Amino acid sequence: MSHYFSRDDHAVLAGDDEAARHAVHIKMTALHSTLHRRIRERNWDLHPHWEKARMITTASDACRSDIQGFAAPFLRSRDHAANVERLMGRDYAAAATETDAFRHPVIELRLTADFLVLEFILNPAAWWDQRNLIGKLSLDRHRHDLRARLARMGDDFSFGFWDGCDLSDTHLTTRQLLRGRVLEDWMSTFSDGQDWLRVGVWYQPENDALSTDNIAAELMTRTTALFELYKFALWTSNNNFQNFYPQATVATSARDKNH
């Protein structure tokens, strides 16, 4: 079996051979282009980073720092992002601040020496969408909807509230999360502007699902599952649950919104 990313490709990312890293970057770019094309074919409101130079980057939204690898974020459109940031109170007056992708939910594809990762990430700086999620989960039918979406995803996604580009020991699998009231108990502790929320799948090098012939189909299947969570949380005028957000925590968002 031929794997799209070989063990050698992963190992290259831990070293300083620029020519070898560039070859892996080319592979990552080609994979990103394939996924982007398939996303466009489905007419999803999910976009690569608005700045072409940052479509494939060495900075990850999972830790907001450079990594020994490559990351490719997909997120809301730039116009939608600018509108949300205005609602967050960002100043777009004369010296307009650049739209900041870190303030928005993302689905990130990340390649490192140890893993290929596909994650939905909702970080504390995206507190407007976090607050929307908290408000939505205050309603019974939407709590049931979230549980149903997670159940359809499969058992091997990793769920948790950690930050960083490594897989935390505190994560739960979707199978564990759906036992009893684990999901409800975990989400009841989730605090906007403070906690991370992430759900993803972590592939070790040369995973059988990531053959050259199968990798795009595999990742699109996983992206489809994560996109259901992304849409569930994402604030839009048609998915607006700000009025249901518990007012006791408004001070937290006000304190953190300028971070």
Side-chain angles (χ1 to χ4, degrees):
M1 178 187 298
S2 170
H3 292 91
Y4 187 82
F5 292 115
S6 68
R7 291 187 186 277
D8 288 343
D9 289 334
H10 282 269
V12 157
L13 299 177
D16 56 7
D17 185 334
E18 290 303 318
R21 286 177 62 88
H22 181 65
V24 177
H25 184 276
I26 290 173
K27 284 188 176 182
M28 184 73 165
T29 301
L31 179 59
H32 174 269
S33 296
T34 298
L35 296 179
H36 182 208
R37 184 180 69 252
R38 295 189 181 191
I39 287 170
R40 289 202 316 270
E41 289 169 354
R42 287 160 174 78
N43 200 31
W44 292 350
D45 187 14
L46 190 63
H47 308 269
H49 195 285
W50 322 294
E51 297 175 17
K52 187 173 181 179
R54 297 183 64 187
M55 288 184 181
I56 307 293
T57 178
T58 57
S60 169
D61 282 271
C63 49
R64 208 180 194 187
S65 62
D66 283 343
I67 59 173
Q68 286 188 297
F70 301 112
F74 290 92
L75 63 168
R76 56 171 41 116
S77 71
R78 187 166 202 160
D79 287 346
H80 189 191
N83 181 49
V84 167
E85 290 182 32
R86 290 187 184 97
L87 294 171
M88 294 171 78
R90 296 200 75 197
D91 183 11
Y92 284 86
T97 306
E98 286 293 324
T99 305
D100 182 359
F102 197 62
R103 296 176 183 268
H104 305 278
V106 302
I107 294 177
E108 180 180 274
L109 179 66
R110 184 168 67 255
L111 181 69
T112 67
D114 298 316
F115 294 100
L116 178 70
V117 184
L118 185 68
E119 279 194 294
F120 166 60
I121 304 168
L122 187 58
N123 74 72
W127 61 264
W128 185 262
D129 296 277
Q130 287 192 341
R131 192 167 79 173
N132 194 60
L133 175 62
I134 291 170
K136 193 169 186 176
L137 291 178
S138 69
L139 304 177
D140 284 344
R141 66 186 180 93
H142 292 297
R143 290 197 296 272
H144 296 323
D145 184 9
L146 177 60
R147 175 176 281 274
R149 290 177 191 234
L150 289 166
R152 290 193 296 268
M153 291 176 66
D155 295 337
D156 58 346
F157 283 84
S158 298
F159 177 101
F161 294 158
W162 79 96
D163 67 315
C165 289
D166 298 320
L167 182 61
S168 171
D169 291 339
T170 64
H171 79 272
L172 294 179
T173 65
T174 38
R175 177 194 290 268
Q176 294 169 323
L177 189 67
L178 294 175
R179 291 175 181 164
R181 286 192 48 83
V182 175
L183 173 62
E184 290 76 10
D185 291 344
W186 268 47
M187 292 308 301
S188 70
T189 69
F190 181 68
S191 180
D192 69 294
Q194 298 183 54
D195 292 329
W196 292 67
L197 175 63
R198 31 206 301 191
V199 185
V201 58
W202 297 64
Y203 300 95
Q204 293 184 340
E206 297 191 351
N207 184 292
D208 286 347
L210 303 182
S211 68
T212 301
D213 293 336
N214 190 60
I215 188 170
E218 168 70 14
L219 292 180
M220 277 306 301
T221 297
R222 303 298 192 149
T223 302
T224 299
L226 292 176
F227 187 56
E228 290 301 309
L229 297 184
Y230 175 89
K231 290 188 297 180
F232 184 88
L234 190 77
W235 181 90
T236 68
S237 58
N238 294 322
N239 190 47
N240 180 3
F241 291 86
Q242 298 287 330
N243 290 339
F244 293 92
Y245 174 73
Q247 294 303 305
T249 55
V250 167
T252 298
S253 290
R255 182 192 66 205
D256 292 319
K257 70 180 181 179
N258 293 319
H259 286 187

